[in-house]
């Protein structure tokens, strides 16, 4: 609704200003910079198809830049391409490429600073350092953009969509790849992130810190160097996301560090080395998630309290759960475990004997990682069995008292 | 040699034991595939069965066959045939007939359920390969043990112990060493130790495809790097071949000195 009024406001505003400029290679105005200079406040600048070699395009008044037929703005690796410092700016339908690389400045294809109510739509950003760098700007939308680069090293590459100190932004339907971090937030609140794809990034597909009250759904993160990392945030909601194929010794489908009061439901974790690693995360509800064919489905390290795991499916993971301490304050109830070998005599769909997801071998691998080569050997099966009968090394109270006999029939569909 | 091989091969393959052996693999893989729709899970179960049973059956059968065909061997020894040819022929007859029962027992259900058109085809082939190699290795070891021990009880005992050693005890000792010296970098040690046990080596070859996600973590990456590339795989296969050749070599050496 808010956006609708904004939109109406923009239409009325631009209608009153009576200004619409055209930029093309054969028009009287040949450069975007020139058009911005002479445009009235609130004007619409239509940029026709063509290649514009420009950098440091500075916008200091409300404007709408609209590309027709995907005009290309080539920054020639000099620095920022577009810099915005005004409210109500729209950039729609451009191809922006070749952003400068710097070790001291965060050069970006589009840099917004204190620019509320922005709209960044349908752009394609190629070989960027930073893609969209949005600072101290509230109430905007970043939609249907494709941001890509060819990052080789973490030290000289930037992030795709980078938000810093923002509030109430919508990030929708973007694709980020070949960058350092696909989507990066710091101090961002009340923001909705949905239907984005972030893949093949050097570090994280999604990375945020100190960002409370955000909602993430229907996103797809895959093949990122270190998966997805979320840290130091409260009240976050993540649902219907897919995390897959994040491989490596420091790669996590989802890394939770110092997360409080979060809700994770209906997500799918597939083929990750570690699907979820939780560290110092408290009051997180995990429900209806699918953990399929991961190395470790859930790794819980220190200081995780009052987390609840309910109605999740743990299917064919090499290890279901790993715990590094004997203290347990988390609950596991009514999950489906494909390793469960109990019975259901009263046929109510719930296994009659509890399932212990932490195996002795898990403990052994934590102590001596090299022993992973013994996985699935007969000897390991024997010691796992004896531990199962009488737990000595594994936390006794970590168990699912009501394991499901059949898979929770929840299917994840994006869109 | 070929004649003796032919003779013992046809003798064995027509016997009830190879039929039972075939039937066991056929029924277990059929029922596993039938009950569980998940092929990856079936492969894991079959892997456990194969790594346990193939060496055991090959060991017991090898020892048993050697002792049982003693009279026949003595008869042949009286003929102008080389000792080497007689016993190699018998060894090949036994191991090939066991392997064929095993391969058919797995291959037919796989074909019926169309596994070769799924993405599990590499795993299925690795499984067949590893099972066959283990049969060859352990029947060679069994022949050697049976030759060295006139006493049947002692021969059986030694053979079973050897199987137990490779299947269970070895891993136990290995784990104990790892835990004792876990302050030290142990990746290389772990790699080398795995090579000295054919069962472990076979297990890792299968695991590389199945548990790749877990193996990518921590030091697992080292193993993945080694076993995952062509060089590592060639080395593993080469080592497995050495595991076949070595007991046969020792077998032939003590065969020369043996006083029948």
């Amino acid at each position: 609704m808010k956006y609708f009024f904004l939109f109406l406001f923009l239409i009325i505003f631009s209608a009153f200003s009576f200004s619409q400029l055209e930029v093309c290679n054969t028009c009287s105005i040949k450069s975007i910079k020139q058009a911005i200079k002479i445009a009235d406040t609130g004007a619409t600048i239509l940029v026709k198809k063509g290649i514009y070699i420009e950098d440091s395009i500075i916008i200091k008044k409300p404007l709408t830049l609209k590309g027709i037929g995907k005009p290309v703005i080539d920054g020639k690796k000099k620095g920022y391409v577009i810099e915005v410092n005004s409210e109500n700016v729209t950039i729609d339908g451009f191809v922006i490429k070749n952003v400068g690389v710097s070790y001291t400045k965060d050069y970006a294809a589009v840099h917004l600073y204190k620019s509320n109510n922005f709209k960044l739509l349908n752009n394609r950003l190629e070989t960027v350092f930073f893609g969209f760098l949005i600072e101290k700007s509230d109430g905007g939308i970043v939609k249907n953009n494709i941001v890509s680069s060819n990052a080789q090293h973490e030290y000289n590459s930037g992030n795709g969509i980078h938000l810093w100190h923002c509030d109430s932004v919508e990030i929708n339907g973007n694709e980020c790849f070949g960058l350092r971090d696909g989507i990066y937030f710091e101090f961002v609140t009340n923001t909705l992130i949905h239907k984005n794809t972030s893949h093949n990034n050097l570090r994280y597909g999604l990375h945020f810190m100190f960002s409370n009250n955000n909602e993430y759904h229907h996103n797809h993160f895959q093949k990122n160097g270190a998966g997805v990392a979320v840290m130091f945030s409260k009240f976050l909601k993540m649902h219907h996301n897919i995390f897959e194929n994040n491989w490596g010794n420091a790669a996590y489908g989802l890394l939770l560090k110092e997360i409080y009061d979060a809700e994770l439901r209906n997500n799918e974790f597939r083929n990750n080395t570690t699907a979820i690693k939780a560290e110092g995360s408290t009051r997180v509800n995990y429900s209806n998630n699918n953990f399929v064919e991961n190395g470790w489905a859930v790794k819980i390290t220190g200081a995780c309290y009052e987390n609840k795991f309910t109605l999740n499916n743990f299917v064919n993971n090499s290890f279901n759960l790993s715990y590094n301490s004997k203290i347990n304050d988390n609950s596991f109830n009514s999950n489906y475990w494909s390793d469960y070998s109990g019975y259901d005599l009263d046929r109510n769909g719930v296994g009659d004997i509890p399932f212990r997801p932490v195996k002795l071998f898990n403990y052994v691998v934590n102590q001596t990682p090299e022993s992973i080569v013994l996985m699935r050997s007969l000897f390991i099966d024997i010691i796992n069995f004896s531990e199962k009968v009488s737990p000595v090394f594994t936390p006794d109270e970590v168990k699912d008292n009501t394991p499901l006999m059949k898979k929770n029939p929840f299917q994840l569909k994006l869109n | 040699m070929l004649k003796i091989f032919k003779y013992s091969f046809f003798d064995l393959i027509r016997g009830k034991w190879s039929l039972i052996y075939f039937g066991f693999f056929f029924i277990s893989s059929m029922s596993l595939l039938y009950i569980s729709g998940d092929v990856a899970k079936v492969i894991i179960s079959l892997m456990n069965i194969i790594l346990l049973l193939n060496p055991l059956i090959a060991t017991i059968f090898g020892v048993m066959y050697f002792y049982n065909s003693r009279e026949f061997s003595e008869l042949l020894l009286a003929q102008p045939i080389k000792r080497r040819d007689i016993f190699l022929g018998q060894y090949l007859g036994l191991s090939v007939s066991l392997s064929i029962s095993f391969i058919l027992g797995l291959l037919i259900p796989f074909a019926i359920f169309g596994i070769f058109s799924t993405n599990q085809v590499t795993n299925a082939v690795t499984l067949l390969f590893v099972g066959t190699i283990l049969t060859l290795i352990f029947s060679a070891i069994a022949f050697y043990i049976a030759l060295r021990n006139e006493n049947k009880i002692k021969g059986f005992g030694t053979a079973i112990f050897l199987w137990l050693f490779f299947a269970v005890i070895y891993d136990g000792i290995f784990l104990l060493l790892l835990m004792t010296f876990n302050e030290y970098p142990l990746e290389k040690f772990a790699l080398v130790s795995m090579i000295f046990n054919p069962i472990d080596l076979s297990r890792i070859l299968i695991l590389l495809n199945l548990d790749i996600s877990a193996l990518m973590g921590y030091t697992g990456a080292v193993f993945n790097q080694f076993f995952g590339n062509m060089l590592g795989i060639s080395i593993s296969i080469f080592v497995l071949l050495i595991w076949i050749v070595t007991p046969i070599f020792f077998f032939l050496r003590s065969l020369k000195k043996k006083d029948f």
Side-chain angles (χ1 to χ4, degrees):
Chain A
M1 210 54 191
K2 194 159 67 188
Y3 297 128
F4 176 69
F5 280 120
L6 185 71
F7 185 64
L8 210 68
F9 170 76
L10 272 175
I11 288 177
I12 295 165
F13 197 76
S14 55
F16 275 109
S17 71
F18 291 110
S19 58
Q20 181 164 328
L21 299 165
E22 281 195 5
V23 181
C24 65
N25 288 335
T26 50
C27 309
S28 56
I29 307 168
K30 287 192 173 57
S31 83
I32 301 167
K33 264 186 198 164
Q34 198 188 344
I36 291 168
K37 210 171 180 181
I38 60 172
D40 291 337
T41 296
T44 299
I45 298 172
L46 296 177
V47 182
K48 296 279 174 66
K49 196 173 176 171
I51 296 172
Y52 302 85
I53 296 170
E54 294 183 59
D55 61 283
S56 309
I57 301 168
I58 296 165
I59 302 173
K60 285 199 173 240
K61 54 194 161 194
L63 278 180
T64 298
L65 252 67
K66 194 164 169 51
I68 293 168
K70 290 269 170 199
V72 177
I73 305 175
D74 190 337
K76 288 282 175 199
K77 300 225 170 233
K78 281 186 184 150
Y80 293 103
V81 179
I82 299 178
E83 287 178 75
V84 181
N85 184 8
S86 159
E87 296 194 334
N88 302 321
V89 171
T90 301
I91 299 172
D92 180 359
F94 287 88
V95 176
I96 302 171
K97 56 184 178 184
N98 298 331
V99 177
V101 174
S102 162
Y103 294 93
T104 50
K105 282 195 157 174
D106 296 339
Y107 288 139
V110 180
H111 176 212
L112 280 81
Y113 185 72
K114 289 191 177 171
S115 312
N116 296 344
N117 299 327
F118 55 89
K119 280 185 184 171
L120 304 167
L121 316 166
N122 310 315
N123 299 295
R124 205 165 76 223
L125 313 187
E126 288 167 3
T127 51
V128 296
F129 183 49
F130 280 76
F132 296 109
L133 178 58
I134 301 164
E135 297 176 321
K136 296 206 164 188
S137 306
D138 301 339
I141 179 166
V142 182
K143 192 173 175 181
N144 296 340
N145 301 288
I146 300 170
V147 186
S148 67
S149 190
N150 44 14
Q152 301 291 333
H153 305 284
E154 274 184 28
Y155 57 84
N156 61 0
S157 53
N159 307 327
I161 299 172
H162 184 119
L163 271 68
W164 184 69
H165 269 291
C166 296
D167 185 73
S168 305
V169 179
E170 186 186 348
I171 314 273
N172 179 359
N174 301 291
E175 186 181 354
C176 302
F177 58 95
L179 300 141
R180 184 173 63 190
D181 290 350
I183 303 171
Y184 181 97
F185 292 161
E186 208 169 332
F187 308 109
V188 175
T189 47
N190 303 315
T191 287
L192 178 67
I193 299 91
H194 64 131
K195 293 181 183 168
N196 299 292
T197 308
S198 185
H199 60 94
N200 298 86
N201 294 300
L202 223 50
R203 200 167 64 180
Y204 300 114
L206 169 71
H207 183 190
F208 62 85
M209 297 207 244
F210 315 108
S211 296
N212 304 332
N213 295 306
N214 297 319
E215 187 172 350
Y216 305 79
H217 65 83
H218 292 93
N219 299 297
H220 190 171
F221 304 103
Q222 70 161 336
K223 288 187 181 163
N224 294 300
V228 168
V230 299
M231 306 181 189
F232 310 102
S233 302
K234 294 170 190 163
F235 310 109
L236 77 102
K237 280 183 188 153
M238 290 185 122
H239 56 93
H240 294 95
N241 300 297
I242 296 181
F243 303 84
E244 64 180 349
N245 295 325
N246 298 298
W247 281 1
N249 48 12
Y252 306 101
L254 182 58
L255 169 67
L256 302 167
K257 192 174 167 68
E258 303 288 331
I259 299 291
Y260 296 91
D261 303 288
E263 193 182 303
L264 272 108
R265 58 181 171 89
N266 299 73
N267 297 296
E268 174 142 334
F269 299 86
R270 191 179 273 279
N271 283 324
N272 302 292
T273 299
T274 308
I276 290 186
K277 175 165 174 163
E279 223 175 281
S281 297
T282 295
R283 293 184 298 276
V284 179
N285 286 332
Y286 304 81
S287 62
N288 292 303
N289 298 296
N290 268 344
F291 297 89
V292 185
E293 288 172 15
N294 300 291
W296 283 260
V298 179
K299 240 185 200 172
I300 290 182
T301 50
C304 292
Y305 304 107
E306 291 177 55
N307 297 299
K308 289 192 179 80
F309 290 82
T310 42
L311 297 167
N312 300 294
N313 291 323
F314 291 85
V315 183
N316 295 348
N317 300 296
S318 300
F319 299 94
N320 286 316
L321 182 63
S322 154
Y323 244 76
N324 77 342
S325 72
K326 288 187 81 172
I327 303 158
N328 174 45
D329 193 35
N330 306 307
S331 71
F332 299 85
N333 283 309
S334 305
N335 299 291
Y336 169 79
W337 312 86
S338 65
D339 294 353
Y340 182 60
S341 55
Y343 44 81
D344 178 22
L345 287 182
D346 50 3
R347 291 184 174 265
N348 59 353
V350 175
D352 296 346
I353 51 172
F355 177 75
R356 293 180 192 283
V358 184
K359 300 252 164 67
L360 175 61
F361 185 45
N362 234 317
Y363 172 82
V364 172
V365 171
N366 269 345
Q367 301 289 317
T368 37
E370 290 85 2
S371 60
I372 186 101
V373 284
L374 290 175
M375 190 158 58
R376 296 195 198 285
S377 92
L378 181 63
F379 179 73
I380 294 303
D381 289 347
I382 294 169
I383 60 167
N384 272 344
F385 179 75
S386 60
E387 175 76 9
K388 193 168 130 187
V389 177
S390 56
V392 180
F393 297 100
T394 53
D396 188 22
E397 65 273 36
V398 178
K399 58 184 173 186
D400 190 334
N401 283 316
T402 51
L404 299 181
M405 293 305 287
K406 280 196 172 150
K407 220 161 137 181
N408 178 9
F410 130 78
Q411 283 287 320
L412 187 76
K413 280 196 188 100
L414 284 192
N415 304 320
Chain B
M1 184 173 100
L2 206 65
K3 247 188 187 152
I4 292 164
F5 163 66
K6 257 189 198 162
Y7 177 79
S8 31
F9 174 72
F10 284 112
D11 180 37
L12 279 163
I13 204 96
R14 275 179 303 193
K16 67 173 186 234
W17 280 110
S18 62
L19 197 70
I20 292 173
Y21 194 51
F22 162 77
F24 171 77
F25 277 111
F26 182 75
I27 292 168
S28 54
S29 47
M30 256 326 234
S31 50
L32 278 172
L33 281 166
Y34 186 71
I35 294 166
S36 156
D38 194 343
V39 181
K41 241 179 145 178
V42 174
I43 299 266
I44 290 172
S45 308
L46 280 175
M47 179 190 88
N48 284 331
I49 294 175
I50 288 167
L51 290 183
L52 192 67
L53 271 187
N54 277 30
L56 179 66
I57 299 289
T59 313
I60 293 178
F61 252 60
V63 176
M64 218 160 70
Y65 186 72
F66 191 87
Y67 285 140
N68 278 354
S69 59
R70 191 179 163 92
E71 283 173 14
F72 173 58
S73 312
E74 275 172 8
L75 178 75
L76 285 176
L77 283 168
Q79 310 297 320
I81 314 169
K82 270 193 206 161
R83 277 186 172 191
R84 206 189 68 170
D85 290 353
I86 298 171
F87 289 99
L88 263 188
Q90 285 184 357
Y91 163 70
L92 284 178
L94 173 86
S95 49
V96 170
S97 75
L98 279 179
S99 305
I100 285 183
S101 305
F102 158 71
I103 290 172
L104 286 181
L106 238 59
L107 202 63
I108 296 172
F110 281 1
I112 293 173
F113 282 86
I115 284 190
F116 294 104
S117 55
T118 64
N119 56 353
Q120 295 290 341
V121 58
T122 13
N123 290 337
V125 171
T126 319
L127 216 55
L128 287 169
F129 172 75
V130 157
T132 313
I133 294 275
L134 283 177
T135 307
L136 292 176
I137 292 172
F138 279 87
S139 43
I141 293 175
F143 260 57
Y144 177 60
I145 289 171
L147 180 76
R148 290 298 297 269
N149 294 290
E150 288 283 322
N151 186 340
K152 284 188 187 180
I153 304 293
K154 215 175 154 192
F156 263 112
T158 318
I160 297 285
F161 174 76
L162 209 76
W163 167 79
L164 198 68
F165 177 77
F166 281 127
V168 183
I169 299 170
Y170 187 91
D171 289 355
I173 295 170
F174 172 65
L175 185 62
L176 215 64
L177 285 175
L178 282 185
M179 307 257 301
T180 316
F181 296 104
N182 74 5
E183 313 270 294
Y184 298 88
L186 292 168
E187 289 94 341
K188 289 232 169 79
F189 166 71
L191 261 179
V192 173
S193 319
M194 286 298 102
I195 281 173
F196 286 113
N197 181 349
I199 298 183
D200 277 335
L201 195 58
S202 317
R203 186 170 45 77
I204 286 175
L205 278 179
I206 303 172
L207 276 190
L208 275 179
N209 293 321
L210 285 174
D211 284 284
I212 185 113
S213 344
L215 282 174
M216 289 302 286
Y218 297 116
T219 41
V222 177
F223 305 116
N224 190 58
Q225 249 168 31
F226 177 75
F227 289 109
N229 65 26
M230 269 331 277
L231 183 75
I233 290 176
S234 332
I235 290 176
S236 316
I237 291 173
F238 179 70
V239 169
L240 283 174
L241 292 179
I242 287 182
W243 263 106
I244 302 175
V245 173
T246 317
I248 294 179
F249 170 76
F250 280 109
F251 174 70
L252 292 178
R253 210 182 59 172
S254 48
L255 194 65
K256 275 184 202 154
K257 298 176 198 154
K258 174 91 179 172
D259 183 18
F260 279 94

